[in-house]
Amino acid sequence: MLWDLGTFWPRAAHPFAPPCYAERAVPELTCRITHLVDSGNAVVLTGHSHGSVLLAATVLQLPPRVTDRVALLTHGSPLRRLYARLFPAYVSDEVIHEIANRVDWRWVNLWRDTDPIGGRVFPPQQPDEAPAASDREATVDRRLRDPSDVTAPAGDIFPPPIKGHRPCESDEAFDEAVRNLADHLR
């Protein structure tokens, strides 16, 4: 994680660090997504952990004609938990709202309580407060139950594992989110 944090930012921010990969990855992603949209495709972007940060930076670089055909699915995202705390001048409420606005709130963020790195992108203002159901922010974050159950599945003696920061691609909630976002783009 420290390597990801250190190599994401340009060398101007830390001149003795290794080269910044975001300076190449974000323009390449922007170019590829623009090409896909210009070819008549709708695009569901999905990123786990630091990949969600790269996608957020990419969405901010896309022209409006492209973001109209883009949806965003993040999971295990450290945008709020780490980046907003460590780099508040670059990742703030305004920036996160701008990302959501650029994709017209076609954004799903899957998160688990057991994840020490990723979390909600739009947390409630107070720890015990739940967001209002009508609030657009409430449509982005979707909590995944972890572990999925407390008892062993039939034919097994071990309970389901705690997944924590592991990717969500094998979860049914991931497949459902991809389907929903793709439907919104049609």
Side-chain angles (χ1 to χ4, degrees):
M1 187 62 176
L2 290 176
W3 182 262
D4 280 340
L5 286 170
T7 56
F8 177 75
W9 299 102
R11 277 190 165 170
H14 49 81
F16 301 112
C20 169
Y21 67 85
E23 288 176 335
R24 180 173 176 171
V26 171
E28 287 179 1
L29 283 167
T30 302
C31 182
R32 180 70 177 148
I33 295 162
T34 301
H35 170 72
L36 288 169
V37 169
D38 287 347
S39 298
N41 299 295
V43 180
V44 176
L45 302 172
T46 178
H48 173 257
S49 192
H50 195 70
S52 69
V53 177
L54 283 171
L55 290 180
T58 301
V59 165
L60 293 171
Q61 300 300 313
L62 292 170
R65 67 179 172 74
V66 173
T67 56
D68 290 343
R69 301 288 296 147
V70 170
L72 184 59
L73 172 57
T74 56
H75 47 116
S77 179
L79 270 173
R80 178 69 67 175
R81 183 170 281 166
L82 294 180
Y83 278 79
R85 288 181 182 167
L86 296 173
F87 310 107
Y90 300 101
V91 182
S92 61
D93 282 336
E94 293 80 22
V95 169
I96 292 173
H97 278 86
E98 179 64 22
I99 295 163
N101 284 324
R102 296 252 180 130
V103 295
D104 195 28
W105 293 87
R106 291 181 303 271
W107 183 1
V108 172
N109 178 58
L110 303 173
W111 65 281
R112 299 181 181 112
D113 285 320
T114 57
D115 188 343
I117 296 169
R120 288 178 161 191
V121 176
F122 294 102
Q125 297 302 319
Q126 300 296 324
D128 297 336
E129 178 185 341
S134 63
D135 200 358
R136 289 188 300 188
E137 295 175 3
T139 65
V140 173
D141 290 311
R142 298 188 188 166
R143 181 180 181 194
L144 300 178
R145 186 174 172 186
D146 194 32
S148 58
D149 204 347
V150 292
T151 59
D156 200 346
I157 59 170
F158 298 103
I162 294 174
K163 294 180 180 175
H165 190 62
R166 291 188 196 140
C168 301
E169 288 99 346
S170 61
D171 291 1
E172 177 57 36
F174 182 90
D175 293 338
E176 181 182 331
V178 169
R179 282 191 300 273
N180 289 342
L181 289 169
D183 287 344
H184 279 80
L185 288 170
R186 289 191 181 108

